[in-house]
Amino acid sequence: MKVNARISVEWRRRMLILFLMFFGVGAWFLADGYVNWPNEAKRYEAFSEIRSELGESDEVESAHSEEGESAEVQLAWKRYTEEQGISNKIPKERTEDAIREQRIIGGVVMAFALLFGGWVIWNHKLSVRAEGETIIGASGQRVELDSIVATDRKKWKKKGIAYAIYEENGKRKRLTLDDHKFAGCEEILLEAERRIKAREGDSSE
């Protein structure tokens, strides 16, 4: 028997989605921490100056908009942003502590994303193989096909995972056959089950 069960397309797709999700979250926090929030902090500083200047004037209108700023403050801010060529959206206060927190969270999530990506790449070097009478598991575990005495399919239907129960030095151990991760494991599993049934048939005669 010769089977080389390598990483499946489905597993690769799922891991890619997870990697992109972690990477995207990390990039989002880092972008806020190093670009968006520092820029908004500068805009808020300019906005605060405009508001303070108008607050000292007798001509400040008492009417306020839904955003909580007077019409005159908004008009002055709009003129300023048009002159500077920046967003006219009313900025929020972004403190140094808040910006630092975004950078830390982004750094941690991004580091995890890169480690996760490295782990996924490393897994592509693994496989489950059947060479002649021997099965070689993903971790290098070597099991003789005829030493398998039972199989466990409890997780097969939902997860595509089965266990081959085998005997070694008088002890029962198990070999994981993950067909969801390693496409082709089912062929090995079926061969093991065929041999178990054949031995049971021989013993009953």
Side-chain angles (χ1 to χ4, degrees):
M1 183 180 191
K2 189 171 183 62
V3 176
N4 188 12
R6 302 192 65 82
I7 292 295
S8 69
V9 174
E10 179 61 29
W11 188 86
R12 184 184 299 119
R13 183 185 299 117
R14 181 173 294 184
M15 294 303 106
L16 178 60
I17 291 172
L18 287 173
F19 170 75
L20 291 176
M21 181 182 71
F22 292 134
F23 187 88
V25 171
W28 184 10
F29 276 97
L30 288 176
D32 278 347
Y34 284 97
V35 180
N36 299 331
W37 283 24
N39 289 341
E40 189 168 15
K42 292 178 182 178
R43 296 203 329 271
Y44 182 80
E45 185 178 348
F47 176 76
S48 296
E49 290 179 3
I50 292 173
R51 188 166 53 183
S52 296
E53 290 173 1
L54 291 175
E56 295 173 359
S57 171
D58 294 331
E59 298 178 0
V60 177
E61 297 182 11
S62 59
H64 284 68
S65 69
E66 293 180 356
E67 293 181 328
E69 300 297 339
S70 70
E72 188 164 348
V73 169
Q74 290 190 66
L75 180 59
W77 175 246
K78 183 178 180 181
R79 288 173 180 168
Y80 174 81
T81 56
E82 288 175 352
E83 291 173 359
Q84 299 296 319
I86 59 177
S87 172
N88 63 3
K89 183 179 179 181
I90 302 296
K92 295 180 180 179
E93 183 179 9
R94 304 297 186 183
T95 64
E96 286 295 325
D97 287 342
I99 292 173
R100 188 182 305 110
E101 183 178 326
Q102 293 293 106
R103 292 174 178 176
I104 292 173
I105 294 174
V108 171
V109 175
M110 184 60 73
F112 177 80
L114 295 176
L115 288 172
F116 179 77
W119 176 79
V120 171
I121 292 172
W122 175 78
N123 268 268
H124 278 70
K125 297 180 180 180
L126 305 179
S127 65
V128 177
R129 307 192 309 278
E131 298 178 353
E133 298 297 308
T134 305
I135 304 171
I136 304 171
S139 61
Q141 187 178 3
R142 301 180 74 89
V143 179
E144 295 299 316
L145 268 167
D146 287 333
S147 70
I148 297 173
V149 295
T151 58
D152 180 353
R153 283 179 173 260
K154 291 178 183 177
K155 297 182 180 179
W156 184 260
K157 190 173 182 180
K158 291 184 177 180
K159 297 184 177 181
I161 298 174
Y163 300 102
I165 313 301
Y166 66 98
E167 292 184 346
E168 184 179 73
N169 299 324
K171 295 181 179 180
R172 285 203 168 192
K173 299 181 180 180
R174 69 180 190 178
L175 172 70
T176 302
L177 297 173
D178 187 345
D179 194 65
H180 170 71
K181 183 175 181 179
F182 298 103
C185 279
E186 185 175 16
E187 187 177 347
I188 299 173
L189 178 64
L190 291 173
E191 175 62 19
E193 290 176 336
R194 185 191 68 77
R195 294 193 181 203
I196 292 170
K197 288 181 180 179
R199 289 197 300 272
E200 289 174 349
D202 291 341
S203 62
S204 63
E205 292 179 358

